[in-house]
Amino acid sequence: MKHFINIIADPIFSFPIFSLLFFAMIKWYRVVGTKKFAWIFLAISVPVTVWFLADPQFIKIILWPDNIPINILVILIVFLTWFPLYKAAENDKRLEQGLEPVEALPENREKVWAWPNLVYTELFAIIAGTIFLVVWAIIFKAPLEEPANPTWAPNPAKAPWYFLGLQEMLVYFDPWMAGVVLPGLIVVGLIAIPYLDTNPKGNGYYCFQDRKFAITGFLYGWLVLWIYLIIVGTFLRGPNWTFYGPFEYWDFHKVVAEYNVNLSEFLWLKWLNTSMPKNIFVREALGIALTFAYLIGLPFISLKTKFGKDLLEKVGTMRYYIVIFLVISMGSLPIKMVLRWLFSLKYIVALPEIELNL
Amino acid sequence: MAKQQLNRREFFSFLTVGWVAFTAATAGLLSLAFRFSYPNVNFEPEMEFLAGGPSEFEAGVDERYKNGFGVWMVKQDGKLFALSNICTHLGCIPSWMPAEKKFKCPCHGSGYYMSGINFEGPAPRPLERYKVSLTPEGKIRVDKTKVYRYEKGEWNNPNSFISV
């Protein structure tokens, strides 16, 4: 059983499984968003967690001082994902019956003064937060290491936990893409959301039916492409950034058969059986063409679908292209990951001569 | 008693003294802050060093100069060259794994052969090689200011290796 879990925890399996679970959760959000489901989930997950914790290797990783915040985060994320779904399922049912959302009921529309109601709560939160941090600082020692040395790196070298998703992305991308372009697009995209979202519904109340695309798109990026990658980077990456299952000993010499090949090498050496062309742009022609098709062709192709037509009609031309561009940028990460796993594909466009690799 | 009043001239001299003192204090603080932003000790490795005679090296990877200077001396196929220890992906420091005969980066898992050619993980290009030359005394001088990159076809440059 432990061996089986070690195998399916590998991103090659766990990423599709996690994605499928995510879409199942979205599809059956009315089942997930009930108190009954929450209690059953809790009743199952507690004994499973205890069983996991009984393993010496797993508990060693869990109790590593750097990893404590991520343990807390995982538990919080589970609850904070379930809670809005529960609220949304409740409201969607009311809206279907022609009732107003729970938040619009007279007893919930009552207004109170910021002082003392809000300020007291804030004061209490500050005190509780301070006590929590002080206790934490006393119990868990900061994992300080030796002085920085430019000719030596710890193994594994891990980023702070909140950047481990980015570090995991960097396994599949050039540093320019995963370190600058994609994080930049994430920040710009998040800032742009209020300007792109013209849907007046869902304002001030939880719902899902009225905001299917917005909620699904955001939650996929958040839960699968960010939180999941942080969990993988924290718990399942060991020495040499090699994957290790949750019960697997971190063997420094674990051998992973991995030989990555660029798309241009596939094209010229394998499929056409000739040598690589001298001109670097001819060499990468297929990759460049595919990239342009992906970035420029897809927005026009999606216009042909019902989803694209609806979106264009709702938000207008400019917003449509920005939304689609952000969505396909986000989609490039899972695409690149799957290509790496299936074909050991390194870069679609590989131009190390001019530091451009996609 | 009549109230003592500053005349115009006195007011300006007080103002000048005060303003000069304020500026001096601010400048002093800023210079302290500026000094603080520089490290007291600099651990940067030397850019140029002598790495013994060519006869001191056996075939394979020599790690003697890795921790001090960030350079692996590699002897392979009749060539002795100085390999940079900076990963071409994001600049981490790979480690040499003698059993697997490869360099492996701890940050994102890039792997390189003994020659420095990348073969696994996200590294987009091979490790860089440094300029090596022989001094009149027969010692190897490694000059890290000049790098030779494989993808630009520079590894054939006679300055990038010593024939042994």
Side-chain angles (χ1 to χ4, degrees), chain A residues 4 52 80 105 124 164 227 236 256 282 285 317 324 336 347:
Chain A
F4 176 71
F52 266 67
L80 292 175
L105 289 173
F124 180 74
L164 280 172
I227 299 296
L236 306 177
V256 184
V282 175
T317 319
I324 292 291
K336 199 82 197 292
Y347 290 116

Side-chain angles (χ1 to χ4, degrees), chain B:
Chain B
M1 201 173 96
K3 214 173 172 188
Q4 196 75 43
Q5 278 217 317
L6 287 177
N7 64 28
R8 195 181 177 84
R9 179 182 294 267
E10 281 165 347
F11 171 74
F12 272 106
S13 42
F14 271 115
L15 192 69
T16 311
V17 169
W19 192 244
V20 168
F22 177 74
T23 311
T26 312
L29 260 180
L30 280 180
S31 61
L32 283 178
F34 187 72
R35 168 66 190 81
F36 181 69
S37 65
Y38 278 89
N40 285 331
V41 189
N42 197 348
F43 293 105
E44 288 282 311
E46 295 286 325
M47 289 309 277
E48 212 179 300
F49 64 97
L50 291 178
S55 54
E56 291 175 30
F57 295 95
E58 289 172 22
V61 175
D62 188 295
E63 293 209 274
R64 264 180 289 172
Y65 301 97
K66 190 232 169 187
N67 284 338
F69 300 97
V71 169
W72 283 299
M73 300 301 291
V74 184
K75 189 165 160 185
Q76 193 186 28
D77 301 334
K79 284 182 179 179
L80 181 65
F81 47 85
L83 205 57
S84 154
N85 79 340
I86 295 167
C87 182
T88 54
H89 178 236
L90 206 54
C92 282
I93 311 299
S95 37
W96 167 243
M97 301 172 75
E100 287 84 355
K101 288 212 175 308
K102 67 179 181 186
F103 301 103
K104 188 78 176 162
C105 181
C107 288
H108 309 95
S110 296
Y112 304 85
Y113 294 127
M114 200 199 290
S115 59
I117 303 272
N118 54 322
F119 71 100
E120 62 180 358
R125 56 194 180 85
L127 293 174
E128 287 165 0
R129 291 182 183 178
Y130 293 127
K131 182 180 172 180
V132 282
S133 54
L134 278 178
T135 61
E137 295 84 42
K139 303 272 184 198
I140 301 167
R141 179 188 296 279
V142 180
D143 180 6
K144 289 171 64 183
T145 55
K146 178 76 187 128
V147 296
Y148 296 94
R149 288 169 57 165
Y150 171 80
E151 70 279 8
K152 292 188 174 170
E154 292 170 342
W155 281 7
N156 294 324
N157 190 310
N159 284 332
S160 70
F161 61 88
I162 293 172
S163 299
V164 283

Side-chain angles (χ1 to χ4, degrees), chain A residues 145-162:
Chain A
E145 295 171 19
E146 49 203 283
N149 177 351
T151 59
W152 179 85
N155 194 1
K158 289 203 180 190
W161 63 266
Y162 42 84

Side-chain angles (χ1 to χ4, degrees), chain A residues 28-337:
Chain A
W28 291 292
Y29 75 101
R30 286 187 187 198
V31 180
V32 177
T34 52
K35 283 186 175 160
K36 197 174 147 200
F37 181 90
W39 286 116
I40 294 172
F41 182 83
L42 193 69
I44 295 171
S45 59
V46 167
V48 170
T49 314
V50 170
W51 180 72
F52 266 67
L53 290 175
D55 185 274
Q57 182 62 29
F58 185 76
I59 195 137
K60 208 167 97 190
I61 302 172
I62 289 290
L63 289 185
W64 173 243
D66 270 348
N67 291 351
I68 306 284
I70 307 138
N71 303 334
I72 300 169
L73 174 128
V74 169
I75 296 164
L76 276 179
I77 287 286
V78 172
F79 174 72
L80 292 175
T81 308
W82 171 80
F83 186 69
L85 287 180
Y86 164 67
K87 288 280 196 182
E90 200 183 13
N91 270 345
D92 282 348
K93 205 182 282 169
R94 292 178 62 89
L95 289 168
E96 267 168 27
Q97 292 165 350
L99 300 165
E100 63 212 323
V102 177
E103 288 84 350
L105 289 173
E107 65 262 33
N108 290 333
R109 295 179 70 93
E110 192 196 346
K111 287 182 179 170
V112 292
W113 297 103
W115 169 269
N117 297 284
L118 174 69
V119 179
Y120 269 33
T121 315
E122 283 177 344
L123 179 70
F124 180 74
I126 290 169
I127 293 171
T130 312
I131 291 171
F132 174 72
L133 285 178
V134 169
V135 171
W136 188 345
I138 291 169
I139 294 177
F140 301 106
K141 297 288 169 242
L144 286 180
E145 295 171 19
E146 49 203 283
N149 177 351
T151 59
W152 179 85
N155 194 1
K158 289 203 180 190
W161 63 266
Y162 42 84
F163 279 146
L164 280 172
L166 273 183
Q167 189 170 0
E168 193 59 27
M169 271 161 75
L170 277 159
V171 174
Y172 305 97
F173 281 104
D174 183 79
W176 267 109
M177 281 302 293
V180 180
V181 177
L182 288 179
L185 279 176
I186 292 172
V187 172
V188 172
L190 287 175
I191 293 171
I193 284 178
Y195 304 97
L196 298 173
D197 186 1
T198 52
N199 187 352
K201 288 176 183 161
N203 203 341
Y205 62 94
Y206 288 97
C207 67
F208 177 74
Q209 282 303 318
D210 294 339
R211 308 180 60 80
K212 273 186 197 160
F213 172 65
I215 292 175
T216 312
F218 177 80
L219 279 186
Y220 185 77
W222 167 240
L223 290 175
V224 181
L225 298 184
W226 193 249
I227 299 296
Y228 164 78
L229 288 183
I230 287 180
I231 292 170
V232 170
T234 309
F235 300 118
L236 306 177
R237 291 291 188 177
N240 299 328
W241 210 249
T242 308
F243 168 81
Y244 293 86
F247 307 121
E248 203 176 339
Y249 170 68
W250 281 15
D251 176 15
F252 185 79
H253 293 283
K254 179 179 177 181
V255 177
V256 184
E258 196 193 4
Y259 187 96
N260 292 328
V261 182
N262 291 326
L263 181 66
S264 52
E265 288 159 353
F266 269 115
L267 174 70
W268 299 106
L269 303 180
K270 204 170 170 196
W271 297 334
L272 297 179
N273 222 345
T274 54
S275 60
M276 303 278 273
K278 279 275 173 286
N279 186 309
I280 55 174
F281 294 104
V282 175
R283 190 185 73 199
E284 304 297 333
L286 178 65
I288 294 171
L290 283 176
T291 308
F292 272 103
Y294 182 69
L295 282 180
I296 296 168
L298 262 192
F300 292 102
I301 293 167
S302 79
L303 268 183
K304 298 266 187 287
T305 63
K306 189 177 172 300
F307 164 78
K309 278 179 196 155
D310 285 354
L311 187 66
L312 181 70
E313 197 179 310
K314 267 188 224 148
V315 300
T317 319
M318 201 61 212
R319 286 200 185 90
Y320 167 79
Y321 285 113
I322 295 173
V323 168
I324 292 291
F325 175 71
L326 289 173
V327 168
I328 58 182
S329 312
M330 188 167 106
S332 68
L333 176 62
I335 290 174
K336 199 82 197 292
M337 287 161 80

